[in-house]
Amino acid sequence: MLSLHCPYCGVDVDETDLTPGGEAHLVRSGSGSDDADFEAYLFMRKNPRGVHFERWRHSFGCGKWFHAARATDTLEVFGTYSAQTKEPPQDVQERIRARRPDWKGFGKGDRI
Amino acid sequence: MSDAVSVCNGASFSGAVQVLDAGLCGMITLRGDLADEKLSAAVKAATGMGLPKPRRIKKGKRGAVAWMSPDELLIFVDYDLADSTVTKIERALQGQYFLAVNVSDARATFALQGTGVREVIAKGAPVDMSPQGLPVGEIRRTRLGQVAAAFWLSDEEHLTLVCFRSVGSFVYDWLCNAATEGTLPRLTG
Amino acid sequence: MSARLARHGRLIDRRKPLQFTFNGRHLHGYQGDTLASALLANGQTLVGRSFKYHRPRGIVAAGPEEPNALVGLGKGAGFEPNQRATTTELFDGLIAESQNHWPSLEFDLGAVNKAMARFFPAGFYYKTFMFPRAAWEHLFEPIVRGAAGLGRVPQEKDKDTYEYFYHTTDILIVGGGIAGLQAAEIAGKSGLRVLLIEQTPDWGGRAMVDGVQINGIGAADWVEKALARLRAMPNVILRSRMMGAGVYDHGYALGYERLSDHDPKIPGPRHRLWRIRARRIITATGAIERPLSFAGNDIPGVMLAGAVRDYLENYGVSPGELTLVVTNNDNAYLSAIALHEAGLTVPAIIDARPEATGALPQKARALGLRVETGCAIGTVHGGKRVTSVTLCNQAGSGAILDEIPCDAVAMSGGWSPVVHLWSHCGGKLRWDADQAMFRPDPARPPRGANGAGFVIAAGTANGHLAAEAVMEDAAEAAAAAVRALGAKADPAKRATARSMPEMPILPVWSMPANAGPKLRMKTWLDFQNDVKVSDVRLAAQEGYESVEHTKRYTTLGMASDQGKLSNINGLAVLADSLSRDIPQVGTTTFRPPYHPISFGAIAGEARGPLFKPLRKSPIHDWLDANGAHWEPVADWRRPYCLRRSGETVKEAVTREILNTRQNVGLLDASTLGKIIVKGPDAGRFLDMLYTNMMSSLKVGRCRYGLMCNENGFLIDDGVVVRLSDDTFLCHTTSGGSDRIHAWMEEWLQTEWWDWQVYTANVTEQFAQIGIVGPKARSVLEALGGMDVSREALPFMAFQEGQIAGIRARVYRISFSGELSYEIAVPAALGQAFWNKALAAGGDFGMQPYGTEALHVMRAEKGFIMIGDETDGTVIPQDLNLGWAISRKKDDFLGKRAQQRPHMVDPNRKQLVGLLTEDPQVVLPDAAHAVEGPKRANGMENIIGHVTSSYYSPTLGHSIAMALIKGGSRRMGETLRFPVADGVVIRAQVVDPVFLDKEGERQNV
Amino acid sequence: MRRYSAFAIAREAARYHTGWGRAWRNPTPKKSYDIVIIGAGGHGLATAYYLGKNHGLKNVAVVEKGWLGGGNTGRNTTIIRSNYLQDESAAIYEKARSLYESLSQDLNYNVMFSPRGVLMLAQTEHEIRGYKRTEHANRLQGVETRFIGPKEVKRLVPIIEISGPRYPVLGALWQPRGGTARHDAVAWGYARACSDMGIDIIQQCEVTAIRQKNGAVSGIETTKGEISCNKLGLVVAGNSGVLAEMAGFRLPIESVALQALVSEPIKPAINVVVMANTVHGYISQSDKGELVIGGGADGFNNYTQRGSFHHIEETVRALIETFPIISRLKMLRQWGGIVDMTGDRSPIIGRTPLENCFIDCGWGTGGFKAIPGSGWSMAATMARGEPDEFAAAFGMERFIEGRFIDESVAAGVAH
């Protein structure tokens, strides 16, 4: 039973008040995109055993989407932040580096 | 408007605490830039009150204003004044980017009274219901049992709860069950 | 024979006798007894039968670790199987029955399995029952399954209630023994919020039974004082009869509070499941004593030495007159001394250690007790009761030195800390070879949301067995928890304890050390599941080497005590069999709950009327009172039809359709979703959301729109209304209102966050009522207040104003093909409007209708229904809805997906109409069409299926729609629908619009 | 290998069972194999077994980082059924189900296949339509199912509440030859039979890298040394994404926790498998007497084998409403497993972007029932180097084409 901090309401919220929304920072492939990009956009999800960035909605609260940086192997949460960002904020990235020195960095180390 | 009926038609229950259908209540959802002075001025003009801080509900003579999200307020007025208040706000904000809409009929409102209102809610809401977790004057949007709800305490013995109208009778039954005499665990020593 | 003593029994109140029955026998006990202590007090040593061999079983333990004394409790709606007698508090009128035997506990026919035990080793069933093939299914499995299970199945519906309780605390302390109390005091003084829970009704744990002194006074007195101090702290909450059931991620813990099990007359919920969120959890859960592994250790009368002491001190009950003690540690001497001091006979203390020189053995010797060191039990003799034991050398293989008569055996193989809660969420253990125990490894605790360890083990649960160390460790644990939360604590202000010093334990995993196969086959590890030392050795021998393999192959630790007594002994035997060390073998995973918890508590209050919220429209009660035959639609209920008395459902539907087509019908459409979309970019936004162009819609007009997901599949449809320049009202399906509103917000917040659009879900603000049929306009005119003429309110337009004195929006839209208006009024006035409409419509033959009439009428018109014609894999093009897909737009959700190869395949399934050869035959819903010969794999070649099928009373023949491969090229073809073995219905492919193709009826 | 039989047990009983040999060998890995399968769960072992049995390929190793059968094979609710809607699914699941019928005899290991029947309850009009659609499809696909009415449901499951106030039972889809099997025994039986054919099962051997040469797989590096091979099969439910990354490609898969629980054992109460999709719960009774209950899956990526408790609550709540007598029974144990979810919730079997590397994954919440069919098909696919008749539809390329095999279509979920 996760508890995540809603960056908008400023309270820690039980998982049952939230809706998970999958991988964060996806770039939409719309009209005109090629087949491979479009397939990747729809289906090719990062599925790391470790640091992961994902979307959540505070659906029973303020209704806002936010992002969480979380470890999938321990469920540790490195931070939550606005969904209206292209990449995780610096302080969150620094916290991850401090906790996981082997983390390759946002968008790095994704071999494919 | 004598034909207008609230969802439980004024029902009440006396148990460990009192549960009342609080009747029809005017409610307006206002979405917009809460930092915008014109918006706060419009709210002030319509209700006589300034904007609440995040998670707070501010009460005045003519109603109340609650913070619902970074771009949303819920304004409480008399049921019969909801439409005219929307009009007032719309006029004041003409040309601005905002949304004001009457949601009075989409809601059911319940009043809980007595020692133990916190414990009744704690049976169903994943919220720290202690005074430090939910101070008087703070509104919390969350779930109660299996449905969405918002509630706040105006003092230690008075709690108001708002939910969607379609589940109003379910919530009333839920509250009465939770408030059954002799079933509240004491939250002190 | 076990019996009640004249003295002792600190927990029972001899002034309050209680009556109860066991297997119909009337017995009595005292207030404060457990069922187990009361049974022993009545000389009831035999309490049950084991799972596999139906061997006689007696009480072994005094707590939740008890594997044998499981009973059926209560009767009727209050009956509950598999209750531990050891955790059941006695109450007046309690009814208990033993389990797993026939015809009786004393004489059990199933016990023939015992004689066959040699043929039933671990996993024997994997090796046999295979031939002939049918025999397993028809002969063996029914026998195996018939014999399975322990308790009886309840026959009646549970009448009790249950509930949840959410609680947030800084520190949760599990266990109200002296460690828990000590920790609570230290933590409580910091001012942080503390919740201390204890699974039994009594505080103090084992300290009183063990004669511990705290701060110079007896443990009982100190506990009373500590409780008084804690109760005076406003920040500390104490709850007894509440077990720490499980520890979960991010500091979540379950507390299982039993409110009326000890007295069913108490009103209110029976159990309360606490959902605790704690920043730190201290597990002060104590330890469980291990049995010793010797032949016959399962015979009734063989008990844990600590339990013997518990029954004696707490309940004034002796397990026997002649109680032999067998041990590998000093602690069990406490039991021998207590028995002796209570005036009972201890014929011998058999100590496996070569010598016993500690204070306790010395005291025992001084009391004149016979102490045999370096010795073991060879075999326990007895059937349903211990009669004697043979003495042998521990180092040998069982040669008999002496036979000692006795009627009870108190055994102790050492103590294992209760590490379950520590382990549930990933806390790791380390093997302490000196104390022969797994204990929490503080370097590898379960980690919480912030990465820090959030569980701290304290006292005995942390591997400290001496009371002195327990109290010190508990104080340190509390101080560590407090400091981790940024508050101040002073562990120096702790209470100190004093107990009898104990010499080191000698790990003994087999007694005697070199016991041969014969003895090993009689040496039990898991008493309930009948797993013996020989079984674990067999598993190892056959290659089931992993501890998980061994557990699953032998069922060791899979009984309802979850291996609380058997696991360590079992894996020691496994390690020995594999010539490995115990830590190399490791433990199985600890899973919640610590001890079984009721399904009732897990479900909470949500049962019966509170099971699941039912959404009700403003007209719900009227419909309910007027013949509604309900059907669930998402979380709503909508009337399938409104039956008049004497009418069948089918007749009602036919009447409703014909009346609506001929006169006028009234429909509650309030459940339709309604979402306001407003802002400078609202048009642009809706152009992305819908397949058609919405930005070009004129103010005051309505347009039917389709929504797809990014996979191109149709997800919702409905009418969009342009209320003003920058404001749209989007109607969704009944099931779609919340989903589509969330969908809109998702795109606005996470993709186009710079677009200026606000949304609001106003579904429930309005009652929406359809007035449908040729006379609809007349009804509205009769209601009065608005010009609803063809000119003032043409098809696909809307007006705002007053109708019958109620403010309303009137949309002229049609889902039936008839002249039709939908009127939205404030929900609080919905019933009032409905009543007025009914009154005004009376003259025009108006009748309300339900969803089935709605469905048939839309099918007659060939309109699709989300959920019928769509199933999550259908794109608009499949449904001939290409006209609703804008070609002018560069992009919309789903556009790109619809360009993929499979989506443009001309052989996709496409919507067609069907007319059966015999017009009176209605195709079954979802019937499949086949074509040509069977495929190579033997399957028929399926080319599509029926999506909607009805008998149309309007047309007087059946109609159907279907999705058929390449359907649009098949007009006029006759398709085969094999609907049952040998029954084929033939139908011709036609245009799906069956009625009024030109739309004249709705345009009047 | 000694054959198992009642006679063998009787003979061994005379010498206190000291004569039984190992069920499977514990070999040291060879330097090289024709084929290496990663993952000694049910699917991996079945693949190896049918490589040997059907294709005569016995120079095969199955490497496993933990102990065989220790993943989802050992932690599922053991339901076997094949009443799927889509032709492709019905074909492979029915193949699996029919292999289960004689698996005990085939392996000489009693896997306790119990065709007690599977009921899928219809509790809304929509669900009736969905199940009737499946019934029609199944009849034409040669899968024996039948839509039955509430009275027959009650006859099959006397403890069911037919007329619950919220969701009455309106009927059910009944597959009489569906059922359960003993999950551990399936893994052990395959392992024993593989070992007997000379196939090496190497436990406690974690793969640390996948070696490639000229765009094709050449071997693996493991904690027990390097092993070269001509063909590699990845059959590692719950870890597919991690292995795929080692092999240099991505999968349309996310890993989430799925939970299950058992009650304390009681005397026989429910003789069939019941699935109630509207209220999200399914239940059967094990041969030991425990009620085995499947819960929901989390909606977020997770490798911890622990799920969130509210799924358990929702499931138990629904089951009490459907089977009121279980209210006073108790939950004995709950656990979680990690399942691979694909974009259409159907599995992937076939080739990968890496030459000679094959994959079998994405079985989601339904992998156990597919084990024999999956192994059969994967073995044929690996032996031939191209998808066999069952695997043909389940290739990864379907996602780029938009050609899904979506079974949720008939699940009664309102779309």
Side-chain angles (χ1 to χ4, degrees), chain C residues 61-134:
Chain C
E65 66 272 29
E66 172 63 36
N68 290 342
L70 270 56
V71 298
L73 211 62
K75 60 176 183 182
F79 174 77
E80 176 162 0
N82 300 329
Q83 281 284 55
R84 278 96 188 129
T86 51
T87 60
T88 300
E89 293 175 51
L90 197 68
F91 55 84
D92 208 37
L94 180 147
I95 301 167
E97 64 181 36
S98 53
Q99 307 188 140
N100 202 33
H101 47 68
W102 189 85
S104 73
L105 176 62
E106 302 295 328
F107 177 75
D108 178 12
L109 274 182
V112 295
N113 289 358
K114 188 170 97 180
M116 301 289 289
R118 204 150 148 188
F119 298 96
F120 298 165
F124 75 97
Y125 29 75
Y126 300 126
K127 294 175 177 152
T128 183
F129 301 148
M130 288 178 276
F131 308 98
R133 207 178 110 187

Side-chain angles (χ1 to χ4, degrees), chain D residues 272-307:
Chain D
V272 301
V273 179
V274 182
M275 312 181 69
N277 286 326
T278 293
V279 292
H280 302 296
Y282 45 102
I283 186 168
S284 65
Q285 190 168 15
S286 75
D287 283 356
K288 222 168 150 277
E290 296 159 336
L291 299 179
V292 182
I293 294 171
D298 286 333
F300 55 87
N301 301 40
N302 185 347
Y303 287 95
T304 63
Q305 296 192 335
R306 299 187 298 268

Side-chain angles (χ1 to χ4, degrees), chain C residues 840-922:
Chain C
D843 293 344
F844 303 97
M846 182 154 82
Q847 293 174 15
Y849 66 96
T851 52
E852 185 64 1
L854 168 92
H855 288 175
V856 176
M857 288 192 284
R858 66 89 197 172
E860 290 169 342
K861 282 291 295 174
F863 293 148
I864 64 129
M865 185 89 189
I866 298 289
D868 286 1
E869 276 63 46
T870 70
D871 60 11
T873 65
V874 172
I875 58 176
Q877 292 87 337
D878 299 340
L879 303 178
N880 316 319
L881 293 170
W883 59 267
I885 302 172
S886 166
R887 277 167 194 77
K888 291 184 213 149
K889 296 194 292 188
D890 290 340
D891 199 4
F892 58 82
L893 299 181
K895 182 180 170 97
R896 175 62 184 84
Q898 289 163 4
Q899 295 163 346
R900 289 175 297 178
H902 187 61
M903 301 294 190
V904 296
D905 181 352
N907 211 31
R908 282 181 70 82
K909 289 185 186 177
Q910 288 148 348
L911 190 73
V912 298
L914 293 172
L915 286 176
T916 48
E917 277 189 342
D918 177 348
Q920 297 309 306
V921 168
V922 180

Side-chain angles (χ1 to χ4, degrees), chain C residues 441-458:
Chain C
D441 181 352
R444 294 180 296 163
R447 295 189 183 278
N450 62 1
F454 70 93
V455 180
I456 303 171

